[in-house]
Amino acid sequence: MGILEVRDLVVTVEGKKILKGISLSLEKGKIHALMGPNGSGKSTLAFALAGHPDYLIEEGRIFLNSEDITKLPPHERARRGLFLGFQYPPEVEGVRLREFLRLAAANCHEPFCEFQKLYLESLAYFRMDELGERELNVGFSGGEKKRSELLQMRVLRPKVALLDEPDSGVDVDGLRLIAAGIEEAARLGTAVLLITHYPRILEHLPISKVFVLDDGHIVREGGPELAWEIERSGYEAVRG
Amino acid sequence: MKRTSVGLTAELIEEISREKGEPRWMLEHRLRALEIFRELPMPRFGPDLSEVDFSDISYYLRTVEPVGSWEELPEEIRRTFEELGLPEAERKALAGLGAQVDSEVVYRSILEEVRAQGVIFEPMEEALKNHPDLVREHFMKVIPPEDNKFAALHGAVWSGGTFVWVPEGVEVAIPLQAYFRMQTQGVGQFEHTLIVAEPGSSVHYIEGCSAPRYTKAALHSGMVEIVVKEGAHVRFTTIQNWSRNVYNLNNKRAVAYAGATMDWVSGSLGSKVTMLYPSTILAGKGAKTENLSFSFARNGQWLDLGAKAIHLAPDTSSRLVSRSVVQGKAKSVFRGKLYVAPEAKGAKGHVECSTLLLSPEAETETIPTLDVRNHEVEVGHEATVGRVSRDQLFYLMSRGLDEAEALSLIINGFVSPILKEIPFEYAVELKRLLEMSFAEAIG
Ligand SMILES: Nc1ncnc2c1ncn2[C@@H]1O[C@H](COP(=O)(O)OP(=O)(O)OP(=O)(O)O)[C@@H](O)[C@H]1O
Ligand SMILES: [Mg+2]
């Protein structure tokens, strides 16, 4: 059994059925890719797994570390080691990144001194030193927001990280940093679900599995070669 | 006499004045103010004040005799002050501290080095005895009793409060603080604060207010008058957390002369109804004012706030900023008023108010009034109203913060541009007040 098990998940948003029976399993220390056309439901899956109140789970179950978390509120999932890196991280005026993350770390049982060290080190790791005292995502560029999400993951050290397009809108150097961050997390035991449109980031990373989502169904599962197949021939061919 | 009878009569005024051993002119001032009070109408705008019954208030109560140390205070009051952290604040970081319970100041201290600079920091009653000419020169000159009904009422029944005088060129490096407590049911509080900053001086004055909750409506009608002479700088910070039965109807006004700076920072958390519009008259060339206000209105409250800048001289500038949070069935109003006189060429004024609504029933109104009488000015106004977005909440919760923590962080963030102007390192009890009311609101 994987560290995260998703069984027959059906999710509606505003009365519309978006996920139509998703099952997948993520393994500790492995990087899994989730690909699929725009609007296929990738972000919906990530939100539903993280417990967003607008994404209603109609059927199915989610197990984290063998515990059924299907009905838990988002913060309880987070405290158990689930992390969501947002595709579009919201800006929160007046709240300092450091302050926020310190609170988050405390809730995720990170001792304060450990946090301090990890925070400063992670700022350097993601070349974000100038952003450390800034307000949460406020005025961050697209690429900076993505690095900030990765920084948060690195500090919180989750068991499972759902990363929604961490590579979109990121320059070459940023991409390298982000890939390194993901690889490091996996090396330290985090199970990663990497949502992406680009096989480019997969080149930098040891991928164990690729899932293809289409119209609310997982239509294919395979190795890294599947990503290249999509790149070459598009989703039409992959749907089979 | 320790307590006057209920009701508002000339005999009562004479009794208060006799009790305080006041000079003749002050008694005459009180009686004249009472006449004016009787003639003036209630305010014609803002919240409903029909519950305020002037004949059913005790206007004077000396709860305890003034003491020289915290230990001498009655147990209950001492405990209240300790919970608020006042003795701690005094030890750590204040230039002076005064504490008033009901009508009289019960405790006051001033650092020796501040006294040695020639600074006067005394209860009004003492100042009236020790510095009669200085007090008489300024008392209710910035806000005369004719100004409005509550100014007149205050003029008639004022008791307690603080007199601060800072000599020319003296900078008081750390803040002076006063704390006001309405302790007894049915007693109104009418403290008078008068600050005179001589040319080139500077001072920061902080006040905090609280009261236990009683069922009966209570009235607080304080007055703050500030004279900021040439090149001087005064900053006045208030955080009020009156209980939810208090009508808090204040008058606060400053006059700033050439090159002077007057800053107001006001936090309004408590009370049932508040009407508070700190104003600065920019009377001299190049005078400046900044007026920062934040408020947190919750179920049943009507916080009617505002700020005014009256530009009478050239090159004066003002910045009025407000952040209001409204939760439940509550109302917050912000009246931002700029007046620019014909001779105030080169004046600059800016009014900015933002509101964060936490519930669908929450109400807010912003009422800017820009009355500009010449063309060589730069004035502007902005207003925004927002709600806590579900996405922000979810984002914070997805990192392990529970809903209350997330909401509190968002609210804190929203008011932070103003909170960061409050020196919590001095005013520990203000921080405690804030935390308590945030926790109450969210919990
Ligand atoms: N809050 C919402 N309200 C209404 N519809 C929504 C909402 N969230 C998602 N949807 C709809 O659900 C479908 C799936 O959206 P989702 O964001 O999951 O797609 P995606 O696979 O992440 O796409 P992309 O690659 O563009 O990020 C879309 O049709 C979208 O319009
Ligand atoms: Mg998406």
Side-chain angles (χ1 to χ4, degrees):
Chain A
M1 183 151 169
I3 182 92
L4 187 81
E5 287 284 330
V6 180
R7 302 226 183 107
D8 307 316
L9 209 62
V10 174
V11 172
T12 58
V13 187
E14 305 206 333
K16 194 172 140 205
K17 194 188 271 192
I18 308 291
L19 300 182
K20 302 167 179 169
I22 301 285
S23 296
L24 53 80
S25 172
L26 304 185
E27 276 174 64
K28 193 166 179 298
K30 295 272 158 53
I31 302 169
H32 316 69
L34 177 65
M35 304 184 75
N38 293 133
S40 57
K42 302 180 298 297
S43 295
T44 300
L45 177 61
F47 279 137
L49 294 179
H52 194 301
D54 293 348
Y55 294 74
L56 300 178
I57 298 178
E58 307 284 351
E59 285 172 48
R61 292 254 169 282
I62 308 162
F63 295 91
L64 175 62
N65 208 9
S66 304
E67 182 188 2
D68 187 345
I69 60 162
T70 318
K71 294 198 157 59
L72 289 184
H75 64 283
E76 292 292 349
R77 301 182 195 205
R79 289 174 189 186
R80 284 166 173 72
L82 187 71
F83 179 90
L84 170 58
F86 283 59
Q87 184 176 1
Y88 305 110
E91 305 192 354
V92 191
E93 192 207 350
V95 175
R96 275 169 212 294
L97 174 60
R98 172 201 287 273
E99 202 50 27
F100 158 61
L101 207 49
R102 189 180 53 75
L103 251 176
N107 275 318
C108 297
H109 317 293
E110 191 92 60
F112 179 70
C113 45
E114 192 66 7
F115 163 75
Q116 248 342 54
K117 193 173 129 249
L118 207 52
Y119 182 67
L120 293 177
E121 190 190 295
S122 302
L123 280 177
Y125 188 96
F126 291 108
R127 314 254 161 87
M128 287 179 59
D129 295 286
E130 340 69 67
L131 300 175
E133 297 302 325
R134 286 259 297 268
E135 293 176 13
L136 185 51
N137 298 328
V138 177
F140 283 20
S141 76
E144 286 169 347
K145 281 184 180 164
K146 301 287 177 176
R147 272 186 278 150
S148 159
E149 293 295 284
L150 266 283
L151 168 103
Q152 293 174 40
M153 174 188 78
R154 192 172 190 273
V155 170
L156 297 175
R157 299 195 278 209
K159 292 196 174 69
V160 175
L162 314 169
L163 303 177
D164 198 352
E165 303 197 19
D167 53 338
S168 292
V170 171
D171 66 31
V172 228
D173 296 341
L175 188 71
R176 225 170 266 132
L177 282 179
I178 281 167
I182 294 172
E183 189 178 3
E184 182 199 50
R187 194 157 17 85
L188 295 172
T190 299
V192 177
L193 184 67
L194 171 60
I195 300 174
T196 182
H197 288 292
Y198 309 107
R200 199 171 54 139
I201 190 169
L202 306 181
E203 266 182 89
H204 294 273
L205 288 170
I207 298 295
S208 70
K209 202 171 225 178
V210 176
F211 301 103
V212 180
L213 187 64
D214 187 31
D215 190 25
H217 297 279
I218 301 269
V219 291
R220 287 278 296 273
E221 264 183 62
E225 68 290 347
L226 190 49
W228 293 105
E229 192 183 330
I230 292 167
E231 178 77 356
R232 272 196 313 276
S233 340
Y235 286 109
E236 207 50 55
V238 179
R239 269 178 200 128
Chain B
M1 178 196 72
K2 269 189 77 176
R3 178 183 195 138
T4 58
S5 49
V6 169
L8 189 53
T9 59
E11 293 69 52
L12 165 97
I13 303 293
E14 281 163 8
E15 214 183 321
I16 293 177
S17 188
R18 199 173 329 116
E19 172 73 16
K20 291 177 180 291
E22 286 177 351
R24 184 84 210 152
W25 71 265
M26 183 55 88
L27 173 62
E28 279 162 10
H29 168 90
R30 287 180 184 274
L31 291 169
R32 191 172 69 86
L34 179 66
E35 286 308 308
I36 297 166
F37 167 77
R38 288 183 172 147
E39 280 156 31
L40 286 176
M42 290 292 270
R44 292 194 186 110
F45 63 95
D48 175 15
L49 302 178
S50 58
E51 206 193 359
V52 178
D53 179 358
F54 294 109
S55 66
D56 191 27
I57 292 170
S58 282
Y59 288 91
Y60 181 86
L61 172 67
R62 197 169 68 226
T63 316
V64 287
E65 298 302 320
V67 296
S69 72
W70 296 106
E71 289 69 41
E72 294 165 62
L73 284 170
E75 175 69 18
E76 189 195 349
I77 291 170
R78 203 192 69 212
R79 208 167 341 106
T80 304
F81 286 158
E82 271 167 7
E83 272 164 25
L84 289 160
L86 283 183
E88 182 191 339
E90 178 196 33
R91 270 197 308 279
K92 273 201 194 142
L94 290 169
L97 176 69
Q100 175 161 347
V101 177
D102 294 327
S103 302
E104 296 282 0
V105 175
V106 299
Y107 178 84
R108 182 193 57 102
S109 70
I110 179 167
L111 278 187
E112 198 39 55
E113 56 262 43
V114 178
R115 195 206 308 269
Q117 287 179 300
V119 174
I120 301 171
F121 175 65
E122 290 178 359
M124 273 312 293
E125 283 80 357
E126 265 181 51
L128 197 52
K129 295 199 172 82
N130 301 341
H131 317 281
D133 297 339
L134 208 45
V135 173
R136 190 170 184 176
E137 183 187 343
H138 297 288
F139 189 85
M140 289 195 77
K141 294 288 168 27
V142 183
I143 312 175
E146 291 82 358
D147 200 88
N148 65 76
K149 193 170 184 76
F150 287 93
L153 175 69
H154 177 92
V157 301
W158 76 270
S159 181
T162 316
F163 176 66
V164 178
W165 182 77
V166 188
E168 184 159 353
V170 167
E171 293 185 14
V172 184
I174 50 179
L176 295 168
Q177 188 172 6
Y179 201 84
F180 298 98
R181 177 94 181 153
M182 283 167 80
Q183 186 71 15
T184 311
Q185 157 123 282
V187 176
Q189 193 173 55
F190 308 93
E191 85 287 350
H192 193 97
T193 301
L194 173 58
I195 299 176
V196 180
E198 294 294 331
S201 67
S202 77
V203 66
H204 184 177
Y205 185 90
I206 303 176
E207 60 170 27
C209 324
S210 71
R213 174 148 198 184
Y214 293 116
T215 46
K216 194 171 161 185
L219 176 61
H220 175 263
S221 188
M223 184 179 287
V224 176
E225 300 182 282
I226 303 178
V227 179
V228 198
K229 297 200 183 163
E230 291 73 13
H233 184 181
V234 175
R235 168 168 275 236
F236 192 97
T237 299
T238 309
I239 293 201
Q240 79 65 12
N241 191 25
W242 296 117
S243 57
R244 306 292 189 83
N245 57 320
V246 172
Y247 283 78
N248 179 44
L249 313 171
N250 290 306
N251 280 285
K252 293 187 176 178
R253 194 177 296 162
V255 187
Y257 292 99
T261 304
M262 176 66 219
D263 295 327
W264 299 97
V265 180
S266 317
S268 302
L269 302 167
S271 79
K272 175 170 187 175
V273 167
T274 284
M275 294 176 84
L276 173 67
Y277 321 101
S279 312
T280 306
I281 300 167
L282 299 160
K285 188 172 192 302
K288 283 201 217 36
T289 189
E290 193 166 64
N291 199 318
L292 309 175
S293 155
F294 78 88
S295 67
F296 192 175
R298 285 163 288 159
N299 253 335
Q301 288 181 291
W302 183 333
L303 302 183
D304 206 279
L305 305 168
K308 277 186 222 167
I310 315 290
H311 294 255
L312 301 181
D315 303 326
T316 46
S317 66
S318 64
R319 198 172 148 251
L320 318 180
V321 182
S322 139
R323 297 265 164 149
S324 330
V325 181
V326 196
Q327 186 190 47
K329 206 173 152 34
K331 179 161 180 170
S332 97
V333 177
F334 187 79
R335 305 170 194 270
K337 185 167 179 175
L338 291 182
Y339 170 79
V340 184
E343 52 279 20
K345 303 271 192 280
K348 286 188 187 135
H350 181 69
V351 185
E352 181 189 320
C353 35
S354 320
T355 310
L356 183 66
L357 300 176
L358 301 183
S359 62
E361 325 84 79
E363 266 185 88
T364 183
E365 213 178 323
T366 56
I367 306 170
T369 314
L370 275 55
D371 182 356
V372 181
R373 306 286 176 90
N374 81 64
H375 295 294
E376 294 161 44
V377 296
E378 266 175 56
V379 292
H381 170 260
E382 289 169 43
T384 60
V385 178
R387 293 181 185 276
V388 173
S389 89
R390 288 167 75 79
D391 288 336
Q392 282 181 341
L393 257 187
F394 174 65
Y395 185 63
L396 301 186
M397 289 178 74
S398 80
R399 300 294 187 256
L401 277 60
D402 64 31
E403 190 169 354
E405 285 175 314
L407 201 53
S408 161
L409 208 56
I410 291 171
I411 296 171
N412 254 302
F414 174 75
V415 296
S416 72
I418 295 176
L419 285 192
K420 70 171 190 250
E421 298 293 328
I422 299 173
F424 288 115
E425 65 276 28
Y426 301 119
V428 280
E429 91 288 356
L430 299 189
K431 190 170 182 120
R432 240 163 261 178
L433 281 184
L434 268 178
E435 283 165 358
M436 283 187 310
S437 63
F438 280 4
E440 242 171 68
I442 294 153

